[in-house]
């Protein structure tokens, strides 16, 4: 397992407190990696993403209840069923995404967030900004995907 940074011994890396980020704050390479501000920033980003997914799911559920499939024309009904099938598959993917968001939030609490689960090296801030649920550095992820492709090809 990767090396875990023990934030309990360093107040600068303690779990983030609520709402003390300056407006427009963005993590920077000029500050200590995964300091309390960065952790709070990513925690809030993850929570906002999770909340948006929940709101979309609630909207889908409401729409499903309101718009039952009552089209008289078979073609219209088939089209509606296809649309709902796509929508429900999207919601299922998002349900799986919520599990990854929850895992990232646990890593923040455990002091493991931002570090590669394979190498223990810091994951770049750019990667975390683009994919806050990332668990590996780009290099480790590429190696993992190459190995996965080789396994599939055999």
């Amino acid at each position: 397992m990767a090396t875990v940074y023990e934030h309990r011994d360093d107040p600068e890396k303690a779990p983030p407190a609520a709402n003390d980020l300056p407006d427009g704050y963005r993590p920077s390479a000029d500050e200590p990696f995964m300091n309390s501000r960065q952790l709070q920033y990513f925690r809030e980003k993850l929570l906002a993403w999770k909340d948006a997914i929940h709101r979309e799911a609630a909207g889908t559920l409401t729409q499903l209840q309101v718009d039952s499939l009552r089209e008289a024309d078979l073609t219209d009904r088939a089209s509606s069923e296809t649309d709902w099938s796509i929508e429900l598959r999207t919601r299922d993917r998002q349900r799986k995404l919520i599990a990854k968001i929850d895992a990232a939030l646990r890593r923040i609490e455990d002091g493991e967030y931002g570090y590669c689960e394979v190498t223990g090296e810091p994951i770049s801030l750019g990667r975390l900004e683009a994919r806050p649920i990332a668990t590996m550095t780009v290099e480790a992820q590429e190696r993992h995907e190459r190995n996965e492709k080789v396994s599939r090809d055999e």
Side-chain angles (χ1 to χ4, degrees), residues 37-93:
R37 280 187 174 175
Q38 288 181 356
L39 290 170
Q40 181 180 348
Y41 172 83
F42 285 111
R43 183 174 189 276
E44 289 178 9
K45 185 176 184 100
L46 289 160
L47 289 171
W49 192 9
K50 183 177 174 180
D51 184 55
I53 292 170
H54 281 299
R55 278 187 273 112
E56 286 178 33
T60 298
L61 184 59
T62 301
Q63 199 63 36
L64 268 173
Q65 292 168 342
V66 170
D67 290 346
S68 59
L69 297 173
R70 297 184 187 168
E71 289 88 353
D73 182 64
L74 288 176
T75 305
D76 289 343
R77 183 176 180 108
S79 177
S80 292
E81 287 176 359
T82 300
D83 291 346
W84 280 117
S85 175
I86 291 168
E87 183 72 19
L88 292 172
R89 276 198 311 261
T90 300
R91 295 294 153 244
D92 186 52
R93 281 194 304 275

Side-chain angles (χ1 to χ4, degrees), residues 1-5 111-112 114-122 135-136:
M1 172 160 181
T3 304
V4 175
Y5 180 81
E112 298 174 358
Y115 295 91
C116 180
E117 67 183 9
V118 175
T119 65
E121 297 173 4
T135 60
M136 291 184 249

